[in-house]
Amino acid sequence: MAVGATVIDGAGKTSRRLDLPEDLFGGEINESVVHQVMTAQLAAARSGTASTKTRSEVRGGGSKPWRQKGTGRSRHGSIRSPLWTGGGAVFGPKPRDYSVRVNKKMRKLALRSALADKAQSNSVWILDSFAEPRTKAAAACLRAAGIEGRVLLVLDPQGPDEAMVDRAFRNLDGVAFSLHGSLSTYDVVVADAVVFTSSAFERYLARSEAGSTQAESEVAGS
């Protein structure tokens, strides 16, 4: 089944319906791979700086707090024991790297599945032109197009109108930004609508086609 995107102008009016390439926005949705890639992306975003001290790292505790017998209290050899307040932690967290390796094929499949899900639910738009760098105009554009919820706006850093689009949409609540070259599965999945600028959409298609051609050349050469 062919999927498409709605092309809108700067006022939010629909100008036409554009068919999307099957290899980037179609096909079967692989939920398992999407879940794996999203989990890896969230894990890589963790700082991993949590740290606790073991009993060997806690300051003090060089002598017994009291003698072994005769006090009527339980035996203790050091105030650095995990049983004491301020003592060392048992199996506490240490700085670590939470990142998980995910191969390139899985990342591409997950992103295609996420975009296919949005395309099949008619949640992909292309902003053809936007000439007014005002937040009020950006809000009116989304409202006229019927775009609601969390919006992912995909930009092209080299596009002619991208700075104007960024200035107009940056102060809107619920609008997140991504460059066409760094589009991630997580950003697409959590968004309710994906809006490409026309320049970003063309660059995304060209970049994907160039990657496919290079991969085919490498396979043929091997």
Side-chain angles (χ1 to χ4, degrees):
M1 180 179 66
V3 292
T6 302
V7 181
I8 59 175
D9 59 15
K13 296 181 180 179
T14 301
S15 58
R16 65 184 188 278
R17 185 76 175 169
L18 182 66
D19 290 336
L20 297 173
E22 185 74 13
D23 57 335
L24 297 178
F25 295 87
E28 183 179 354
I29 300 173
N30 194 322
E31 296 181 358
S32 176
V33 173
V34 171
H35 178 267
Q36 292 182 60
V37 172
M38 283 190 61
T39 302
Q41 290 178 348
L42 291 174
R46 298 183 64 176
S47 61
T49 56
S51 180
T52 55
K53 293 182 178 180
T54 64
R55 64 179 298 161
S56 65
E57 297 169 327
V58 176
R59 184 180 179 86
S63 61
K64 286 172 67 68
W66 51 75
R67 66 179 187 269
Q68 184 82 346
K69 295 178 179 294
T71 63
R73 290 181 288 187
S74 59
R75 309 170 186 182
H76 284 285
S78 173
I79 62 173
R80 297 190 296 186
S81 167
L83 302 178
W84 284 64
T85 300
V90 180
F91 304 123
K94 286 291 186 181
R96 55 166 293 189
D97 182 13
Y98 286 95
S99 61
V100 180
R101 289 183 59 86
V102 178
N103 62 54
K104 186 176 180 180
K105 184 178 291 186
M106 287 183 63
R107 292 199 302 269
K108 291 179 64 176
L109 177 58
L111 180 57
R112 185 204 56 76
S113 296
L115 289 173
D117 179 60
K118 289 293 184 288
Q120 291 176 14
S121 58
N122 295 320
S123 299
V124 177
W125 280 267
I126 298 175
L127 182 60
D128 195 14
S129 61
F130 195 85
E132 192 173 0
R134 297 175 57 202
T135 303
K136 185 176 181 180
C141 174
L142 296 180
R143 185 167 54 251
I147 302 175
E148 300 177 346
R150 301 180 65 172
V151 178
L152 175 62
L153 187 60
V154 185
L155 303 175
D156 172 21
Q158 300 178 356
D161 301 327
E162 307 304 280
M164 194 173 298
V165 173
D166 175 69
R167 182 180 299 178
F169 284 84
R170 71 171 66 168
N171 291 325
L172 289 177
D173 291 335
V175 176
F177 294 85
S178 176
L179 300 179
H180 69 86
S182 58
L183 193 61
S184 71
T185 302
Y186 177 81
D187 292 337
V188 175
V189 170
V190 300
D192 296 311
V194 180
V195 180
F196 288 85
T197 63
S198 57
S199 178
F201 182 72
E202 293 173 1
R203 292 290 297 275
Y204 181 71
L205 295 184
R207 183 172 177 271
S208 301
E209 291 175 0
S212 300
T213 303
Q214 181 179 0
E216 292 175 358
S217 300
E218 292 176 354
V219 172
S222 60

